[in-house]
Amino acid sequence: MTEKIIIAGEGGQGIMLLGKVLAEAAMLEGRFVTWLPSYGAEVRGGTAHCMVIVSDEQIGSPYIKQADSAIIMNNPSFERFKDRVQKKGLIIANSSLVPPPQESGRRFVFHPFTSLAIGAGNIKVANMVAIGCFIRITGLVKKESVLKVIQAHTPAGRQEVGEVNKRALAEGMALA
Amino acid sequence: MQKIYSRPLSLKDTSTHYCPGCGHGIAHRLVCEVIDELGIRERVIAIAPVGCAVIAYDYWDFDVSEAAHGRAMAVATGIKRMRPENIVFTYQGDGDLAAIGTAETIHTANRGENITVIFINNAVYGMTGGQMAPTTLLGQKTATTPGGRTPELYGYPLKISEMLAVLPGVKYIERVSLHSPPEVLKAKRAITQAFKNQMDGVGFSLVEIIAACPTYWGMSPQKAQQWIPEGMLKEFPLGRIK
Amino acid sequence: MTGSKKKMLISGNEAIGAGAIRAGCVFYAGYPITPQNELTSYMAEHMPAAGRVFIQAESELAAINMVFGAAAAGARAMTSSSSPGVSLKQEGISYIAGAQLPAVIVNIMRGGPGLGNISPSQSDYFQATRSGGHGDYHSIVLAPASVPEAYTLMQRAFALSETYRGPVILLGDGMLGQMMEVVELDTGTKAPAVTKKPWALTGCKGRQPNIVRSIYLKEGALEKFNLLLQKKYHLIRQREQRYESFAVDDARVIIVAYGTMARIAKQAVMALRKKGKKAGLIRPITLWPFPASAFSVLGRPRQKFLVTEMSYGQMLEDVRLTLEGRAEVSFLGRAGGGIPSEEEITARAMRLLQ
């Protein structure tokens, strides 16, 4: 089984981290993973994306031409990447910033990740809400693996940061 | 009979390839005398330039590295950072230090690397055949300024020592000359200071030595020595710059 | 404690830094350029923390010459850059080869010529393998195809540079530098092997002075030195060819690719095999010396080769030189941001098999 995921949004939304958390969780489960960032001159405010592949086999190119799924956090990214997801693929999008599309065909899941993150206590954890939603639907990695990754990335003595991320993950998992 | 003067241990017993009246021979000897007197021959690592002194290791009896043209201070930085216990100095001409190596010179000084720089300014490229140097005087005829250096086409003599003096990383700069015995003694005192600074961990120290190049100045050795106070020192006044 | 491992998800750039530190690199000088900045940042953080030297140089020229100095002083030293910056380093690399100093240079290639762009590219193959600077010299060139391989080859790079006293180039593309994969980092405390360097500049206490130089002015001296270098290069060609071959024994079409391209080519080979097509892969790991031994039993009649690169045909020349007309060699290449895809490679291979 190989899952190719495009994760996109704007700089400052924690897009790179979102991809890394997914990839690290898959690593903890013994899978092959690659993570490839867009590495242009994007800084805060510009669009940013990364590509994550999780597989049971060695992975060839880390670049994804056609994705199995996508996590989209803002509207410019939705316009840019929606057609890069295969016809039967899944697109999880942040309805706080992406208006629901007219077209049908692909599997669209829209939830207000940004609003939910504000509710959870920090706008920055919209990425964790999205991960929760994504893993609940796809079952790509276990919740416990993601929790381990969050714990590992929580700075020493800043347990409250870890807690808000965990809350956001739980919020996301409750959505689907 | 008591021997009161002899060849420094750091200077090999051989004749040099330098032209009659050239400043390099005296400058080499002064550096070697100072190294002997400070007792640091076995700790010294020198970096020779590209220019007439490119094979200085044929004359110096201590560890020497070559460097690409202009890069001596970058090489010195690499050596000194890895071996802070050694005494590292570069020996560079005006083309090497103040033209092709200007960036390395300014940034090594600005980092305040604890090294010693011996800068030979004879206002001309010697090894390549007498072309204009950044320090060539206005009106001076060279292979590439056959009508004399004009500021409209070639700019002005570059006073790199004065430029470096504004950098906080630079601890000592003195300009000396070799045109008379008293000046040679002053030059030796400055070289001693520049090495002592490094031994004491003071920081970047540079001695600019105004030296003659009779061959490419188109003068006899005697006339060239006279030309130093009459011409060179008007543009490059002697003394402590920092 | 020795021999312990720690699994981590890290980028190629970080893995190169980690490999260098594991190999006992004590000196790094570099200058910012995309897409290798993570390596410079990694070294800025980890070298001083390990009591080693990190310098952000004022230019690529300064960086490579600082490495020259550190190497001359006997230190294990490296620099890194990307294509335009590596062009600037060529002078220094030539001097390093001429002075027979061990040093490692990393090039995380981007598109060119000129400023080009920052997309992944393999367009510096000629520069790396054909002595990019002046003079008759070679650098050993290593080309990892994955992040874990970048980690291990970086360690090998230092060993090779000291064994043969010369520059070793680790050549990757922007994708390899940027992508993350899982690497088993060696967290053991076993110290890296120490090479004796009696030639190093340490001050002449208790010995004759050492001279580090590449200049030979006496009549006949430079030719003699060049012959010595050639002897060394001959030895390296004999001993150090490295490659991976995959499914080549009965293959009718053999794809040749290195670095990131080899990952894509391998996928194409597997896809072709699934269809029952006899395809194979040769992946050079050393680009210089080029692994001619991988081709020695190949080039039978009806066997065809397909070289694929992120360039317009550079390694292609080495494959042709190696096969000396014994087999048909085709080429599929893109550069400037384009990457030959698995589908393109498969389609071309299918045509060759008809």
Side-chain angles (χ1 to χ4, degrees):
Chain A
M1 206 282 288
T2 298
E3 181 79 12
K4 299 180 176 180
I5 314 147
I6 291 177
I7 299 144
E10 64 179 43
Q13 281 188 311
I15 298 302
M16 301 298 165
L17 182 65
L18 200 169
K20 275 187 212 173
V21 170
L22 268 184
E24 281 192 33
M27 171 185 85
L28 293 179
E29 296 180 10
R31 318 280 298 275
F32 288 95
V33 295
T34 59
W35 175 93
L36 181 71
S38 55
Y39 57 90
E42 292 101 338
V43 286
R44 212 170 281 178
T47 63
H49 71 268
C50 63
M51 297 174 170
V52 172
I53 304 178
V54 175
S55 179
D56 299 322
E57 295 163 12
Q58 262 191 10
I59 299 163
S61 174
Y63 185 79
I64 300 173
K65 270 212 300 199
Q66 200 181 37
D68 300 305
S69 54
I71 304 172
I72 305 288
M73 299 298 282
N74 74 346
N75 199 42
S77 302
F78 184 78
E79 291 304 322
R80 183 171 169 194
F81 288 109
K82 66 180 190 323
D83 295 329
R84 291 276 291 272
V85 177
Q86 58 147 306
K87 288 287 179 227
K88 290 178 183 170
L90 166 73
I91 296 181
I92 287 183
N94 178 15
S95 61
S96 307
L97 295 170
V98 185
Q102 303 299 317
E103 60 183 299
S104 58
R106 286 189 194 78
R107 196 174 160 206
F108 288 116
V109 176
F110 273 71
H111 289 295
F113 300 133
T114 302
S115 309
L116 289 164
I118 294 167
N122 190 337
I123 189 171
K124 285 186 185 165
V125 296
N127 54 359
M128 292 301 143
V129 183
I131 287 187
C133 177
F134 181 80
I135 65 170
R136 179 65 181 264
I137 295 176
T138 61
L140 182 74
V141 291
K142 294 193 196 80
K143 182 187 178 186
E144 292 68 37
S145 309
V146 178
L147 287 173
K148 269 190 211 164
V149 174
I150 291 173
Q151 193 54 47
H153 282 271
T154 301
R158 308 264 328 262
Q159 202 47 46
E160 74 280 5
V161 174
E163 289 312 316
V164 71
N165 276 286
K166 286 175 191 170
R167 262 204 315 278
L169 183 74
E171 291 253 11
M173 293 201 71
L175 285 173
Chain B
M1 200 167 66
Q2 197 193 355
K3 193 169 173 183
I4 58 162
Y5 193 72
S6 68
R7 177 180 56 81
L9 258 180
S10 293
L11 196 65
K12 288 183 187 169
D13 187 10
T14 180
S15 54
T16 72
H17 72 289
Y18 299 119
C19 306
C22 169
H24 278 307
I26 303 171
H28 280 21
R29 181 178 174 110
L30 289 182
V31 166
C32 289
E33 283 181 5
V34 168
I35 287 170
D36 280 9
E37 284 163 22
L38 295 173
I40 53 175
R41 189 183 80 90
E42 294 181 329
R43 288 167 67 194
V44 158
I45 302 173
I47 295 98
V50 168
C52 286
V54 68
I55 51 169
Y57 53 76
D58 277 356
Y59 315 125
W60 291 338
D61 204 14
F62 39 75
D63 279 11
V64 183
S65 178
E66 74 172 18
H69 198 20
R71 319 287 170 232
M73 288 193 219
V75 171
T77 298
I79 294 174
K80 185 68 182 181
R81 293 287 187 106
M82 289 323 302
R83 302 197 63 85
E85 68 277 22
N86 285 86
I87 302 299
V88 178
F89 79 93
T90 70
Y91 184 101
Q92 300 174 262
D94 37 48
D96 198 78
L97 182 142
I100 195 168
T102 310
E104 283 79 0
T105 299
I106 288 175
H107 287 276
T108 305
N110 195 44
R111 284 191 303 270
E113 299 290 345
N114 186 28
I115 62 166
T116 303
V117 175
I118 306 298
F119 166 34
I120 307 295
N121 178 3
N122 60 12
V124 77
Y125 281 69
M127 196 196 206
T128 46
Q131 294 86 354
M132 182 187 71
T135 50
T136 291
L137 303 181
L138 290 182
Q140 189 180 334
K141 287 183 180 173
T142 70
T144 48
T145 54
R149 181 177 191 169
T150 55
E152 295 79 12
L153 287 178
Y154 303 105
Y156 293 85
L158 190 71
K159 293 191 174 71
I160 191 93
S161 290
E162 281 83 349
M163 287 168 64
L164 293 175
V166 303
L167 302 174
V170 172
K171 300 304 175 194
Y172 174 72
I173 298 188
E174 184 153 355
R175 185 181 286 128
V176 297
S177 171
L178 302 176
H179 68 277
S180 71
E183 296 303 332
V184 170
L185 288 176
K186 279 189 211 162
K188 185 174 172 183
R189 277 203 293 277
I191 294 169
T192 304
Q193 188 62 48
F195 275 99
K196 270 190 175 162
N197 284 351
Q198 184 178 168
M199 294 168 77
D200 295 341
V202 170
F204 188 91
S205 300
L206 181 147
V207 180
E208 175 176 342
I209 301 175
I210 305 293
C213 179
T215 303
Y216 291 112
W217 289 0
M219 299 174 187
S220 69
Q222 291 85 347
K223 179 79 186 73
Q225 302 312 324
Q226 284 166 24
W227 175 246
I228 288 180
E230 288 166 12
M232 287 290 281
L233 300 189
K234 298 233 158 62
E235 188 67 36
F236 298 104
L238 300 183
R240 181 88 178 248
I241 295 170
K242 186 166 187 178
Chain C
M1 194 172 67
T2 58
S4 37
K5 305 261 184 196
K6 187 181 174 195
K7 262 191 178 183
M8 283 187 79
L9 182 73
I10 56 173
S11 72
N13 283 330
E14 292 166 324
I16 290 166
I21 287 173
R22 187 72 198 93
C25 171
V26 291
F27 185 93
Y28 174 95
Y31 183 85
I33 184 170
T34 308
Q36 63 83 55
N37 291 317
E38 296 76 14
L39 172 50
T40 311
S41 297
Y42 187 93
M43 298 309 254
E45 184 183 346
H46 290 86
M47 292 289 279
R52 307 177 190 188
V53 176
F54 167 88
I55 302 180
Q56 179 173 330
E58 63 270 28
S59 70
E60 301 296 358
L61 291 174
I64 189 72
N65 285 288
M66 287 174 187
V67 166
F68 181 103
R76 222 160 259 179
M78 71 170 287
T79 182
S80 67
S81 190
S82 179
S83 309
V86 178
S87 292
L88 278 169
K89 288 187 197 294
Q90 293 306 325
E91 173 199 58
I93 297 172
S94 169
Y95 277 73
I96 284 168
Q100 297 203 86
L101 295 174
V104 176
I105 300 102
V106 175
N107 181 2
I108 300 299
M109 291 179 281
R110 55 188 255 177
L115 212 43
N117 66 20
I118 57 171
S119 61
S121 168
Q122 295 182 320
S123 298
D124 302 347
Y125 180 96
F126 283 153
Q127 186 199 55
T129 59
R130 264 76 176 159
S131 55
H134 62 282
D136 222 332
Y137 74 92
H138 280 289
S139 305
I140 295 175
V141 184
L142 306 177
S146 70
V147 177
E149 193 179 33
Y151 177 68
T152 52
L153 279 186
M154 197 57 195
Q155 297 172 63
R156 174 120 195 96
F158 281 99
L160 286 168
S161 75
E162 294 193 349
T163 302
Y164 297 105
R165 285 184 59 187
V168 175
I169 294 173
L170 189 93
L171 195 68
D173 60 78
M175 195 178 279
L176 183 88
Q178 293 292 320
M179 71 184 288
M180 285 193 173
E181 286 187 289
V182 179
V183 182
E184 279 196 35
L185 296 178
D186 179 358
T187 55
T189 50
K190 193 170 168 236
V194 175
T195 310
K196 283 208 176 99
K197 296 172 177 169
W199 47 264
L201 305 180
T202 56
C204 62
K205 189 168 187 190
R207 59 161 169 76
Q208 287 297 306
N210 281 339
I211 310 294
V212 168
R213 61 167 176 165
S214 63
I215 187 170
Y216 293 89
L217 294 176
K218 290 197 179 76
E219 195 180 335
L222 182 59
E223 185 174 8
K224 204 169 144 192
F225 173 68
N226 265 288
L227 288 171
L228 188 120
L229 284 184
Q230 289 306 314
K231 219 167 142 180
K232 178 161 86 177
Y233 298 148
H234 180 70
L235 197 67
I236 295 171
R237 278 194 192 93
Q238 280 184 325
R239 285 185 184 168
E240 303 299 345
Q241 295 179 27
R242 296 275 189 287
Y243 60 92
E244 175 196 352
S245 60
F246 173 70
V248 294
D249 288 345
D250 64 340
R252 282 190 50 219
V253 62
I254 293 169
I255 301 170
V256 189
Y258 72 94
T260 298
M261 269 319 299
R263 302 170 69 107
I264 302 168
K266 197 169 187 179
Q267 272 190 321
V269 167
M270 290 194 286
L272 286 160
R273 285 278 167 181
K274 269 185 197 158
K275 290 185 196 165
K277 305 295 177 191
K278 291 183 174 170
L281 172 77
I282 291 175
R283 175 174 77 89
I285 297 170
T286 54
L287 302 182
W288 195 91
F290 189 72
S293 50
F295 297 80
S296 58
V297 296
L298 303 173
R300 294 185 293 267
R302 296 181 63 231
Q303 199 167 40
K304 292 175 181 175
F305 289 80
L306 172 60
V307 179
T308 179
E309 298 175 63
M310 281 185 252
S311 82
Y312 289 103
Q314 300 196 12
M315 182 175 71
L316 171 67
E317 292 196 1
D318 278 335
V319 174
R320 286 196 168 134
L321 285 167
T322 301
L323 285 165
E324 293 182 312
R326 281 180 285 141
E328 186 186 321
V329 182
S330 301
F331 179 71
L332 175 64
R334 294 175 65 183
I339 304 172
S341 68
E342 179 191 330
E343 295 73 22
E344 285 171 314
I345 298 169
T346 312
R348 179 66 77 84
M350 290 292 279
R351 280 216 299 282
L352 290 171
L353 282 164
Q354 269 165 22

